[in-house]
């Protein structure tokens, strides 16, 4: 056997295997609009899906998608069924112990939301002790508790907004992308962002540790997609605003 075969028994890195095969396998849910879903022609699309395709294009390989439930996504990355996962994976300290992350391809900010006519709440501090509703297992619960808010349990952001506009709560805590998406669906609902937390919540691509060459290739692709405007265009197309880079509070609230 020639020397190139002797390498294909597992000495190859994931990146080398991808490049040799010419295929990047990406795990995604396919059920989470506007990030990964099936359009009216049953085509898999969404911000994360199109970003994955664009990364493959920059790397010079085909992209194949594997649709997996959220519970199984990271496990399929761990066992090598997929090479990458693009599915709104937030960068957390807990996940960073297990994975290296690419540079972010999406930035959201935790926002304090009120009805358009609310003059009472204009900052986190002025929301102290007020009524809110939220999914108690979400990362927003800790913020509500920090400001001693009176919390009603709720499952969804749209339910939170219903309670808010019905006057049953005073404010909602969620992120800028969910807020924007809601207004795309329901432009007549009069809500506004009055304050945001300064630090962005970043969405990036988890990559099992020990794959420095793959991290580097993915980061190179993301940097090119940032520079050539592809990420901006995709974010505007699917999310209604450019969330592909960091924003100031002024830019978020305009």
């Amino acid at each position: 056997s020639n020397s190139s075969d002797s390498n294909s028994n597992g000495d190859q890195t994931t990146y080398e295997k991808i490049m040799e095969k010419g295929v990047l396998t990406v795990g995604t849910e396919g059920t989470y609009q506007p990030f990964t879903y099936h359009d009216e022609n049953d085509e898999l699309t969404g911000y994360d899906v199109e970003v994955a395709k664009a990364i493959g294009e920059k790397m010079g390989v085909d992209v194949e998608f594997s649709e997996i439930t959220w519970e199984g996504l990271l496990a399929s990355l761990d066992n090598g069924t997929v090479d990458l996962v693009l599915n709104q994976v937030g960068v957390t300290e807990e996940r960073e112990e297990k994975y290296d992350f690419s540079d972010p391809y999406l930035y959201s900010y935790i926002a304090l939301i009120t009805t358009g006519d609310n003059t009472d709440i204009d900052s986190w501090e002025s929301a102290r002790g007020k009524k809110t509703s939220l999914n108690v297992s979400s990362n927003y619960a800790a913020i509500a508790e920090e400001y001693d808010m009176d919390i009603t349990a709720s499952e969804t952001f749209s339910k939170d907004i219903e309670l808010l506009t019905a006057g049953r709560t005073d404010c909602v805590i969620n992120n800028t992308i969910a807020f924007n998406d809601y207004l795309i669906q329901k432009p007549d609902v009069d809500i506004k962002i009055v304050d945001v937390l300064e630090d962005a919540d970043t969405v990036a691509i988890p990559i099992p540790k020990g794959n420095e060459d793959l991290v580097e290739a993915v980061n190179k692709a993301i940097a090119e997609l940032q520079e050539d405007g592809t990420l901006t265009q995709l974010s505007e197309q699917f999310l209604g605003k450019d969330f592909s880079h960091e924003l100031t509070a002024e830019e978020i609230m305009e």
Side-chain angles (χ1 to χ4, degrees), residues 18-35:
I18 293 165
M19 298 315 285
E20 185 179 291
K21 213 167 114 185
V23 177
L24 177 66
T25 308
V26 175
T28 194
E29 280 177 296
T31 54
Y32 184 23
Q33 204 162 341
F35 305 106

Side-chain angles (χ1 to χ4, degrees), residues 116-151:
D117 59 5
N118 187 320
T119 50
D120 193 26
I121 300 175
D122 58 6
S123 65
W124 292 103
E125 200 44 60
S126 62
R128 189 171 287 284
K130 300 287 188 195
K131 289 189 180 131
T132 191
S133 70
L134 45 77
N135 183 328
V136 288
S137 67
S138 72
N139 55 340
Y140 308 124
I143 301 163
E145 283 162 12
E146 192 186 323
Y147 290 100
D148 304 315
M149 293 184 193
D150 174 1
I151 300 169

Side-chain angles (χ1 to χ4, degrees), residues 6 10 55 97 116 118 120 142 159 204 222 242 246:
S6 65
I55 287 170
E97 285 171 21
N118 187 320
D120 193 26
K159 179 71 180 161
I222 290 172
D242 185 8
E246 294 183 82

